[in-house]
Amino acid sequence: MSDQNVHNAGFTPSGISGGSLASSMMSREATASGGGVPSGGPTSTLQQMGARSTTHSSGFTSSGISGGSQASYMMSKEASSHGGGTPRGGTTSTVQSISMGGKGGR
């Protein structure tokens, strides 16, 4: 279900869908970073996973982040760089929220 949730949010194999949550996120992220969407940010990460349908296999599942997965590595790395917790609106929390059918925590 997590891949379908990502597709439903507008992150699809053919690109970001106009008028979707994905396009809104991309616009906000581009504005905040001075015009471009940064590599490794929530939008680029979700689009990469949406294009390949790899959200679930990366460890972002509808029941949480799988231990020992790419997702758990991302979460650990992000937590370490933020003093021990994953920030609201960060890449890990946003990808996990959308993979569970949420709106991304922004």
Side-chain angles (χ1 to χ4, degrees):
M1 184 61 165
S2 56
D3 286 327
Q4 187 59 50
N5 289 334
V6 171
H7 293 164
N8 290 345
F11 299 99
T12 72
S14 57
I16 290 179
S17 301
S20 66
L21 173 62
S23 67
S24 176
M25 283 179 60
M26 182 175 67
S27 176
R28 282 193 315 263
E29 200 170 335
T31 300
S33 65
V37 177
S39 177
T43 300
S44 64
T45 301
L46 280 158
Q47 181 51 40
Q48 180 182 33
M49 291 177 175
R52 297 181 182 159
S53 295
T54 60
T55 309
H56 186 77
S57 63
S58 296
F60 292 98
T61 73
S62 56
S63 58
I65 291 177
S66 299
S69 66
Q70 178 189 359
S72 67
Y73 171 77
M74 285 175 61
M75 183 174 67
S76 176
K77 186 175 176 186
E78 193 171 15
S80 293
S81 68
H82 287 92
T86 54
R88 183 173 192 251
T91 301
T92 304
S93 62
T94 301
V95 173
Q96 182 57 36
S97 174
I98 290 174
S99 72
M100 293 179 77
K103 297 195 188 265
R106 286 189 173 232

Coordinates of all heavy atoms in Angstrom, one line a residue:
M1 N 0.8 -1.2 0.0 CA 0.0 0.0 0.0 C 0.9 1.3 0.0 O 0.5 2.3 -0.5 CB -0.9 0.0 1.2 CG -1.9 1.1 1.2 SD -2.9 1.1 -0.2 CE -4.2 2.2 0.3
S2 N 2.1 1.2 0.5 CA 2.9 2.4 0.6 C 3.2 3.0 -0.7 O 3.2 4.2 -0.9 CB 4.1 2.2 1.5 OG 4.9 1.1 1.0
D3 N 3.5 2.2 -1.7 CA 3.8 2.7 -3.1 C 2.6 3.4 -3.6 O 2.7 4.4 -4.3 CB 4.3 1.6 -4.0 CG 5.7 1.1 -3.7 OD1 6.5 2.0 -3.3 OD2 6.0 0.0 -3.9
Q4 N 1.4 2.8 -3.4 CA 0.2 3.3 -4.0 C -0.1 4.7 -3.3 O -0.6 5.6 -4.0 CB -1.0 2.4 -3.8 CG -2.3 2.9 -4.5 CD -2.1 3.1 -6.0 OE1 -1.6 2.2 -6.7 NE2 -2.5 4.2 -6.5
N5 N 0.2 4.8 -2.0 CA 0.0 6.1 -1.3 C 0.9 7.2 -1.9 O 0.5 8.3 -2.1 CB 0.2 5.9 0.2 CG -0.8 5.1 0.9 OD1 -2.0 5.1 0.5 ND2 -0.5 4.5 2.0
V6 N 2.1 6.8 -2.2 CA 3.0 7.7 -2.8 C 2.5 8.2 -4.2 O 2.6 9.3 -4.5 CB 4.5 7.1 -2.9 CG1 5.4 8.0 -3.7 CG2 5.0 7.0 -1.4
H7 N 2.1 7.2 -5.0 CA 1.5 7.5 -6.3 C 0.3 8.4 -6.2 O 0.1 9.4 -6.9 CB 1.1 6.3 -7.1 CG 2.3 5.5 -7.5 ND1 2.2 4.1 -7.9 CD2 3.7 5.7 -7.5 CE1 3.4 3.7 -8.1 NE2 4.3 4.6 -7.9
N8 N -0.6 8.1 -5.2 CA -1.8 8.9 -5.0 C -1.5 10.3 -4.6 O -2.2 11.3 -4.9 CB -2.7 8.3 -3.9 CG -3.3 7.0 -4.3 OD1 -3.4 6.7 -5.5 ND2 -3.8 6.2 -3.3
A9 N -0.3 10.5 -3.9 CA 0.1 11.9 -3.5 C 0.6 12.7 -4.7 O 0.9 13.9 -4.6 CB 1.1 11.8 -2.4
G10 N 0.8 12.0 -5.9 CA 1.3 12.7 -7.1 C 2.7 12.4 -7.5 O 3.2 13.0 -8.5
F11 N 3.4 11.5 -6.8 CA 4.8 11.1 -7.2 C 4.6 9.8 -8.0 O 4.4 8.7 -7.5 CB 5.6 10.8 -5.9 CG 5.8 12.0 -5.0 CD1 5.0 12.2 -3.9 CD2 6.7 13.0 -5.3 CE1 5.1 13.3 -3.1 CE2 6.9 14.1 -4.5 CZ 6.1 14.2 -3.4
T12 N 4.7 9.9 -9.3 CA 4.4 8.8 -10.2 C 5.5 8.5 -11.2 O 6.5 9.2 -11.3 CB 3.1 9.2 -11.1 OG1 3.5 10.2 -12.1 CG2 2.0 9.7 -10.3
P13 N 5.4 7.3 -11.8 CA 6.5 6.9 -12.8 C 6.6 7.9 -13.9 O 7.7 8.0 -14.5 CB 6.0 5.6 -13.3 CG 5.2 5.0 -12.2 CD 4.5 6.2 -11.6
S14 N 5.6 8.7 -14.2 CA 5.7 9.6 -15.3 C 6.0 11.1 -14.8 O 6.0 12.0 -15.6 CB 4.4 9.6 -16.2 OG 3.3 9.9 -15.4
G15 N 6.3 11.2 -13.5 CA 6.7 12.5 -13.0 C 5.6 13.0 -12.0 O 4.7 12.3 -11.6
I16 N 5.8 14.2 -11.5 CA 5.0 14.8 -10.5 C 3.7 15.3 -11.2 O 3.7 16.0 -12.1 CB 5.7 15.9 -9.7 CG1 6.8 15.3 -8.8 CG2 4.7 16.8 -8.9 CD1 7.6 16.3 -8.1
S17 N 2.5 14.9 -10.6 CA 1.2 15.2 -11.2 C 0.9 16.7 -10.8 O 1.0 17.1 -9.6 CB 0.1 14.3 -10.6 OG 0.4 13.0 -10.9
G18 N 0.4 17.4 -11.8 CA 0.0 18.8 -11.6 C -1.2 18.8 -10.6 O -2.1 18.0 -10.7
G19 N -1.2 19.9 -9.8 CA -2.3 20.0 -8.8 C -2.4 19.1 -7.7 O -3.3 19.0 -6.9
S20 N -1.3 18.3 -7.5 CA -1.3 17.3 -6.5 C -0.5 17.7 -5.2 O 0.1 18.8 -5.2 CB -0.6 16.0 -7.0 OG 0.8 16.3 -7.2
L21 N -0.6 16.9 -4.2 CA 0.2 17.2 -3.0 C 1.7 17.3 -3.4 O 2.4 18.1 -2.9 CB 0.0 16.1 -1.9 CG 0.9 16.1 -0.7 CD1 0.7 17.4 0.1 CD2 0.7 14.9 0.2
A22 N 2.1 16.4 -4.3 CA 3.5 16.4 -4.7 C 3.9 17.7 -5.4 O 5.0 18.3 -5.1 CB 3.7 15.3 -5.7
S23 N 3.0 18.3 -6.2 CA 3.4 19.6 -6.9 C 3.4 20.7 -5.8 O 4.2 21.6 -5.9 CB 2.4 19.9 -8.0 OG 1.1 20.1 -7.6
S24 N 2.5 20.7 -4.9 CA 2.5 21.7 -3.8 C 3.8 21.6 -3.0 O 4.4 22.6 -2.7 CB 1.3 21.5 -2.9 OG 1.3 22.3 -1.8
M25 N 4.2 20.3 -2.6 CA 5.5 20.2 -1.9 C 6.7 20.7 -2.7 O 7.5 21.3 -2.2 CB 5.7 18.7 -1.6 CG 4.9 18.1 -0.4 SD 5.2 16.4 -0.2 CE 6.9 16.4 0.2
M26 N 6.7 20.3 -4.0 CA 7.8 20.7 -4.8 C 7.9 22.3 -4.9 O 8.9 22.8 -4.8 CB 7.6 20.2 -6.2 CG 8.8 20.5 -7.2 SD 8.6 19.7 -8.8 CE 7.2 20.5 -9.5
S27 N 6.7 22.9 -5.0 CA 6.7 24.4 -5.1 C 7.2 25.0 -3.8 O 8.0 25.9 -3.8 CB 5.3 24.9 -5.4 OG 5.2 26.3 -5.3
R28 N 6.7 24.5 -2.6 CA 7.2 25.0 -1.3 C 8.7 24.8 -1.1 O 9.4 25.7 -0.6 CB 6.4 24.4 -0.2 CG 5.0 24.9 0.0 CD 4.3 24.5 1.3 NE 4.5 23.1 1.6 CZ 3.6 22.2 1.4 NH1 2.5 22.5 0.8 NH2 3.8 20.9 1.7
E29 N 9.1 23.6 -1.5 CA 10.5 23.3 -1.3 C 11.4 24.1 -2.2 O 12.5 24.6 -1.8 CB 10.8 21.8 -1.5 CG 12.0 21.3 -0.9 CD 12.1 19.7 -0.9 OE1 11.1 19.0 -1.0 OE2 13.2 19.3 -0.9
A30 N 11.0 24.3 -3.4 CA 11.8 25.2 -4.4 C 11.8 26.6 -3.9 O 12.9 27.2 -3.9 CB 11.2 25.1 -5.8
T31 N 10.7 27.1 -3.4 CA 10.7 28.5 -2.9 C 11.6 28.6 -1.7 O 12.4 29.6 -1.6 CB 9.2 28.9 -2.5 OG1 8.4 28.8 -3.7 CG2 9.2 30.3 -1.9
A32 N 11.5 27.7 -0.8 CA 12.4 27.7 0.4 C 13.9 27.6 0.1 O 14.7 28.2 0.9 CB 11.9 26.6 1.4
S33 N 14.2 27.0 -0.9 CA 15.6 26.8 -1.2 C 16.1 27.7 -2.3 O 17.2 27.5 -2.9 CB 15.9 25.3 -1.6 OG 15.3 25.0 -2.8
G34 N 15.4 28.7 -2.7 CA 15.8 29.7 -3.6 C 15.6 29.3 -5.1 O 16.3 29.9 -6.0
G35 N 14.7 28.4 -5.4 CA 14.3 28.2 -6.8 C 14.5 26.7 -7.2 O 14.0 26.4 -8.3
G36 N 15.2 25.9 -6.5 CA 15.4 24.5 -7.0 C 15.0 23.6 -5.9 O 14.9 23.9 -4.7
V37 N 14.8 22.3 -6.2 CA 14.5 21.3 -5.3 C 15.8 20.6 -5.0 O 16.4 20.0 -5.9 CB 13.4 20.3 -5.8 CG1 13.2 19.2 -4.9 CG2 12.1 21.1 -6.1
P38 N 16.2 20.6 -3.7 CA 17.5 20.0 -3.4 C 17.5 18.4 -3.5 O 16.5 17.8 -3.1 CB 17.8 20.4 -2.0 CG 16.5 20.8 -1.4 CD 15.6 21.2 -2.6
S39 N 18.6 17.9 -4.0 CA 18.8 16.5 -4.0 C 18.8 15.9 -2.6 O 19.4 16.5 -1.7 CB 20.1 16.1 -4.7 OG 20.3 14.8 -4.6
G40 N 18.1 14.8 -2.3 CA 18.0 14.2 -1.0 C 16.9 14.8 -0.1 O 16.7 14.3 1.0
G41 N 16.2 15.8 -0.6 CA 15.1 16.4 0.2 C 13.9 15.5 0.0 O 13.8 14.6 -0.8
P42 N 12.8 15.9 0.7 CA 11.6 15.1 0.6 C 11.0 14.9 -0.8 O 10.6 13.8 -1.2 CB 10.6 15.9 1.5 CG 11.5 16.6 2.5 CD 12.7 17.0 1.7
T43 N 11.0 16.0 -1.6 CA 10.4 15.9 -2.9 C 11.2 15.0 -3.8 O 10.6 14.1 -4.5 CB 10.2 17.3 -3.5 OG1 9.4 18.1 -2.7 CG2 9.6 17.3 -4.9
S44 N 12.5 15.2 -3.9 CA 13.3 14.4 -4.8 C 13.3 12.9 -4.3 O 13.3 12.0 -5.1 CB 14.7 15.0 -4.9 OG 15.4 14.9 -3.7
T45 N 13.4 12.7 -3.0 CA 13.3 11.3 -2.5 C 12.0 10.6 -2.8 O 12.0 9.5 -3.3 CB 13.6 11.3 -1.0 OG1 14.9 11.9 -0.7 CG2 13.6 9.9 -0.4
L46 N 10.9 11.3 -2.6 CA 9.6 10.7 -2.9 C 9.4 10.5 -4.4 O 8.9 9.5 -4.8 CB 8.5 11.6 -2.4 CG 8.3 11.4 -0.9 CD1 7.5 12.6 -0.3 CD2 7.4 10.1 -0.6
Q47 N 9.9 11.4 -5.2 CA 9.7 11.3 -6.7 C 10.6 10.1 -7.2 O 10.1 9.3 -8.0 CB 10.1 12.5 -7.5 CG 9.9 12.4 -8.9 CD 8.5 11.8 -9.3 OE1 7.5 12.2 -8.8 NE2 8.5 11.0 -10.3
Q48 N 11.8 9.9 -6.7 CA 12.6 8.8 -7.0 C 11.9 7.5 -6.7 O 11.8 6.6 -7.5 CB 14.0 8.9 -6.4 CG 14.9 7.7 -6.7 CD 16.2 7.9 -6.0 OE1 16.3 8.3 -4.9 NE2 17.3 7.4 -6.7
M49 N 11.4 7.4 -5.4 CA 10.7 6.2 -5.0 C 9.4 6.0 -5.8 O 9.0 4.9 -6.1 CB 10.4 6.3 -3.5 CG 11.7 6.2 -2.7 SD 11.3 6.3 -0.9 CE 13.0 6.0 -0.3
G50 N 8.6 7.1 -6.0 CA 7.4 6.9 -6.8 C 7.6 6.5 -8.2 O 6.8 5.7 -8.7
A51 N 8.7 7.0 -8.8 CA 9.0 6.6 -10.2 C 9.3 5.1 -10.3 O 9.0 4.5 -11.3 CB 10.1 7.5 -10.8
R52 N 10.0 4.6 -9.3 CA 10.4 3.2 -9.3 C 9.6 2.2 -8.5 O 9.8 1.1 -8.5 CB 11.9 3.1 -8.8 CG 12.8 3.9 -9.6 CD 14.2 3.8 -9.0 NE 15.2 4.6 -9.8 CZ 16.3 5.0 -9.4 NH1 16.7 4.7 -8.1 NH2 17.1 5.7 -10.1
S53 N 8.6 2.8 -7.8 CA 7.7 2.0 -6.9 C 8.6 1.2 -5.9 O 8.4 0.0 -5.8 CB 6.8 1.0 -7.7 OG 5.9 1.8 -8.5
T54 N 9.5 1.9 -5.3 CA 10.4 1.3 -4.3 C 10.2 1.7 -2.9 O 11.0 1.5 -2.0 CB 11.8 1.5 -4.7 OG1 12.1 3.0 -4.7 CG2 12.2 0.9 -6.0
T55 N 9.1 2.4 -2.6 CA 8.9 2.9 -1.2 C 8.9 1.8 -0.2 O 9.7 1.8 0.8 CB 7.6 3.7 -1.1 OG1 7.5 4.7 -2.2 CG2 7.5 4.4 0.2
H56 N 8.1 0.8 -0.5 CA 8.0 -0.4 0.5 C 9.3 -1.1 0.6 O 9.8 -1.5 1.6 CB 6.8 -1.3 0.1 CG 6.6 -2.4 1.0 ND1 5.9 -2.1 2.2 CD2 6.9 -3.7 1.0 CE1 5.8 -3.3 2.9 NE2 6.4 -4.2 2.2
S57 N 9.9 -1.4 -0.6 CA 11.1 -2.2 -0.6 C 12.3 -1.4 0.0 O 13.3 -2.0 0.5 CB 11.5 -2.7 -2.0 OG 11.8 -1.6 -2.8
S58 N 12.2 -0.1 0.2 CA 13.2 0.7 0.8 C 13.0 0.7 2.3 O 13.9 1.2 3.0 CB 13.2 2.2 0.3 OG 13.5 2.2 -1.1
G59 N 11.9 0.2 2.8 CA 11.7 0.1 4.2 C 10.7 1.1 4.8 O 10.4 1.1 6.0
F60 N 10.1 1.9 3.9 CA 9.0 2.8 4.3 C 7.7 2.0 4.1 O 7.2 1.9 3.0 CB 9.0 4.1 3.5 CG 10.2 5.0 3.8 CD1 11.3 5.0 3.0 CD2 10.2 5.8 4.9 CE1 12.3 5.8 3.2 CE2 11.3 6.7 5.2 CZ 12.4 6.6 4.3
T61 N 7.1 1.5 5.2 CA 5.9 0.6 5.0 C 4.7 1.3 5.7 O 4.9 2.2 6.5 CB 6.2 -0.8 5.6 OG1 6.2 -0.7 7.0 CG2 7.5 -1.4 5.1
S62 N 3.6 0.7 5.4 CA 2.3 1.2 6.0 C 2.3 1.0 7.5 O 1.5 1.6 8.2 CB 1.1 0.7 5.3 OG 1.1 -0.7 5.4
S63 N 3.1 0.1 8.0 CA 3.2 -0.1 9.5 C 4.4 0.5 10.2 O 4.6 0.2 11.3 CB 3.1 -1.6 9.8 OG 4.2 -2.3 9.1
G64 N 5.2 1.3 9.4 CA 6.3 1.9 10.0 C 7.6 1.6 9.2 O 7.6 0.9 8.2
I65 N 8.7 2.1 9.8 CA 10.0 1.9 9.1 C 10.6 0.5 9.5 O 10.6 0.2 10.7 CB 11.0 3.0 9.5 CG1 10.5 4.3 8.9 CG2 12.4 2.7 9.1 CD1 11.3 5.6 9.2
S66 N 11.0 -0.2 8.5 CA 11.6 -1.6 8.8 C 13.0 -1.5 9.3 O 13.8 -0.8 8.7 CB 11.6 -2.4 7.5 OG 10.3 -2.6 7.0
G67 N 13.3 -2.3 10.3 CA 14.6 -2.3 10.9 C 15.6 -2.9 9.8 O 15.3 -3.8 9.1
G68 N 16.8 -2.3 9.8 CA 17.9 -2.8 8.9 C 17.7 -2.4 7.5 O 18.4 -2.8 6.6
S69 N 16.7 -1.5 7.2 CA 16.4 -1.1 5.8 C 17.1 0.2 5.4 O 17.7 0.9 6.3 CB 14.9 -0.9 5.6 OG 14.5 0.2 6.4
Q70 N 17.0 0.6 4.2 CA 17.5 1.9 3.7 C 16.8 3.0 4.5 O 17.4 4.0 4.9 CB 17.2 2.1 2.2 CG 17.6 3.5 1.7 CD 17.2 3.7 0.3 OE1 16.6 2.9 -0.4 NE2 17.5 4.9 -0.2
A71 N 15.5 2.8 4.8 CA 14.7 3.8 5.5 C 15.3 4.0 7.0 O 15.4 5.1 7.5 CB 13.2 3.4 5.6
S72 N 15.6 2.9 7.6 CA 16.2 3.0 9.0 C 17.5 3.7 9.0 O 17.9 4.4 9.9 CB 16.2 1.6 9.7 OG 17.1 0.8 9.1
Y73 N 18.3 3.4 7.9 CA 19.6 4.1 7.8 C 19.4 5.6 7.6 O 20.1 6.4 8.2 CB 20.4 3.5 6.6 CG 21.6 4.3 6.3 CD1 22.8 4.1 7.0 CD2 21.7 5.1 5.2 CE1 23.9 4.9 6.8 CE2 22.8 5.9 4.9 CZ 23.9 5.7 5.7 OH 25.0 6.5 5.4
M74 N 18.4 6.0 6.7 CA 18.1 7.4 6.5 C 17.7 8.0 7.8 O 18.1 9.1 8.2 CB 17.0 7.6 5.5 CG 17.5 7.3 4.1 SD 16.1 7.4 2.9 CE 15.5 9.1 3.1
M75 N 16.8 7.3 8.6 CA 16.3 7.9 9.8 C 17.5 8.1 10.8 O 17.6 9.1 11.5 CB 15.2 7.0 10.4 CG 14.6 7.5 11.7 SD 13.2 6.5 12.3 CE 14.1 5.0 12.7
S76 N 18.3 7.1 10.9 CA 19.5 7.2 11.9 C 20.4 8.3 11.5 O 20.8 9.1 12.3 CB 20.2 5.9 11.9 OG 21.4 5.9 12.7
K77 N 20.7 8.5 10.2 CA 21.6 9.5 9.7 C 21.0 10.9 10.0 O 21.6 11.8 10.5 CB 21.9 9.3 8.2 CG 22.9 10.2 7.7 CD 23.2 9.9 6.2 CE 24.1 10.9 5.6 NZ 24.3 10.6 4.2
E78 N 19.7 11.0 9.7 CA 19.0 12.3 9.9 C 18.9 12.6 11.4 O 19.1 13.8 11.8 CB 17.6 12.3 9.3 CG 17.0 13.6 9.2 CD 15.7 13.6 8.3 OE1 15.1 12.5 8.1 OE2 15.3 14.7 8.0
A79 N 18.6 11.6 12.2 CA 18.6 11.9 13.7 C 19.9 12.3 14.2 O 20.0 13.2 15.0 CB 18.1 10.6 14.4
S80 N 21.0 11.7 13.8 CA 22.3 12.0 14.2 C 22.7 13.5 13.9 O 23.3 14.2 14.7 CB 23.4 11.1 13.6 OG 23.2 9.8 14.1
S81 N 22.3 13.9 12.7 CA 22.6 15.3 12.3 C 21.7 16.3 12.9 O 21.9 17.5 12.8 CB 22.6 15.4 10.8 OG 21.3 15.3 10.3
H82 N 20.6 15.9 13.6 CA 19.7 16.8 14.3 C 19.7 16.6 15.8 O 18.6 16.9 16.4 CB 18.3 16.7 13.7 CG 18.2 17.3 12.3 ND1 18.4 16.6 11.2 CD2 18.0 18.6 11.9 CE1 18.3 17.3 10.1 NE2 18.0 18.6 10.5
G83 N 20.7 16.1 16.3 CA 20.8 16.0 17.8 C 20.0 14.8 18.4 O 19.7 14.9 19.6
G84 N 19.6 13.8 17.6 CA 19.0 12.7 18.2 C 17.5 12.4 17.7 O 17.0 11.4 18.0
G85 N 16.9 13.4 17.1 CA 15.5 13.2 16.6 C 15.4 13.5 15.1 O 16.2 14.3 14.6
T86 N 14.4 12.9 14.5 CA 14.1 13.3 13.1 C 13.1 14.5 13.1 O 12.1 14.4 13.7 CB 13.5 12.1 12.3 OG1 12.3 11.6 13.0 CG2 14.5 11.0 12.2
P87 N 13.5 15.5 12.4 CA 12.7 16.7 12.4 C 11.4 16.6 11.7 O 11.3 15.9 10.6 CB 13.6 17.8 11.8 CG 14.5 17.0 10.9 CD 14.7 15.7 11.6
R88 N 10.4 17.2 12.2 CA 9.1 17.3 11.5 C 9.3 18.0 10.2 O 10.0 19.1 10.1 CB 8.1 18.1 12.3 CG 6.7 18.1 11.7 CD 5.7 18.8 12.7 NE 4.4 18.6 12.2 CZ 3.6 19.5 11.7 NH1 4.1 20.8 11.7 NH2 2.4 19.3 11.3
G89 N 8.8 17.5 9.1 CA 9.1 18.1 7.8 C 10.4 17.7 7.1 O 10.6 18.1 6.0
G90 N 11.2 16.9 7.8 CA 12.4 16.4 7.2 C 12.1 15.2 6.3 O 11.0 14.8 6.1
T91 N 13.2 14.8 5.6 CA 13.0 13.8 4.6 C 12.4 12.5 5.1 O 11.4 12.0 4.6 CB 14.3 13.4 3.9 OG1 14.8 14.7 3.3 CG2 14.2 12.4 2.8
T92 N 12.9 11.9 6.2 CA 12.4 10.7 6.7 C 11.0 10.8 7.2 O 10.2 9.9 6.8 CB 13.3 10.2 7.9 OG1 14.7 10.1 7.5 CG2 12.9 8.9 8.5
S93 N 10.6 11.8 8.0 CA 9.3 11.9 8.5 C 8.3 12.1 7.3 O 7.2 11.6 7.4 CB 9.2 12.9 9.6 OG 9.5 14.2 9.1
T94 N 8.7 12.9 6.4 CA 7.8 13.2 5.2 C 7.5 12.0 4.4 O 6.4 11.7 4.1 CB 8.3 14.4 4.4 OG1 8.5 15.5 5.2 CG2 7.4 14.7 3.2
V95 N 8.6 11.3 4.0 CA 8.4 10.0 3.2 C 7.6 9.0 4.0 O 6.7 8.4 3.4 CB 9.8 9.5 2.8 CG1 9.6 8.1 2.1 CG2 10.5 10.4 1.9
Q96 N 7.8 8.8 5.3 CA 7.1 7.9 6.1 C 5.6 8.3 6.2 O 4.7 7.4 6.0 CB 7.7 7.7 7.5 CG 7.0 6.6 8.3 CD 6.9 5.3 7.6 OE1 7.9 4.8 7.0 NE2 5.8 4.5 7.8
S97 N 5.3 9.5 6.4 CA 4.0 10.0 6.5 C 3.2 9.8 5.2 O 2.1 9.2 5.2 CB 4.0 11.5 6.8 OG 2.6 12.0 6.8
I98 N 3.8 10.1 4.1 CA 3.1 9.9 2.8 C 3.0 8.5 2.5 O 1.9 8.0 1.9 CB 3.8 10.7 1.7 CG1 3.5 12.2 1.9 CG2 3.3 10.3 0.3 CD1 4.2 13.2 1.0
S99 N 4.0 7.6 2.8 CA 3.9 6.2 2.5 C 2.7 5.6 3.3 O 2.2 4.5 2.9 CB 5.2 5.5 2.8 OG 5.5 5.4 4.1
M100 N 2.4 6.2 4.4 CA 1.3 5.7 5.2 C -0.1 6.3 4.9 O -1.1 6.1 5.5 CB 1.6 5.9 6.7 CG 2.7 5.1 7.2 SD 3.1 5.4 9.0 CE 1.9 4.4 9.7
G101 N -0.1 7.2 3.8 CA -1.3 7.8 3.4 C -1.5 9.2 4.0 O -2.6 9.8 3.8
G102 N -0.5 9.8 4.7 CA -0.7 11.1 5.2 C -0.3 12.2 4.3 O -0.1 12.0 3.1
K103 N -0.2 13.4 4.8 CA 0.1 14.5 4.0 C 1.5 15.1 4.2 O 1.8 16.2 3.7 CB -1.0 15.6 4.2 CG -2.3 15.2 3.8 CD -3.3 16.3 3.8 CE -4.7 15.8 3.6 NZ -5.2 15.8 2.3
G104 N 2.3 14.4 4.8 CA 3.7 14.8 4.9 C 4.2 15.6 6.0 O 5.4 15.9 6.1
G105 N 3.5 15.9 7.0 CA 4.0 16.6 8.2 C 4.5 18.0 8.0 O 5.3 18.4 8.8
R106 N 4.0 18.7 7.0 CA 4.5 20.1 6.8 C 3.3 21.0 7.2 O 2.2 20.7 7.2 CB 4.9 20.3 5.4 CG 6.2 19.7 5.1 CD 6.7 20.1 3.8 NE 8.0 19.6 3.7 CZ 9.1 20.3 3.4 NH1 9.0 21.6 3.1 NH2 10.3 19.8 3.3

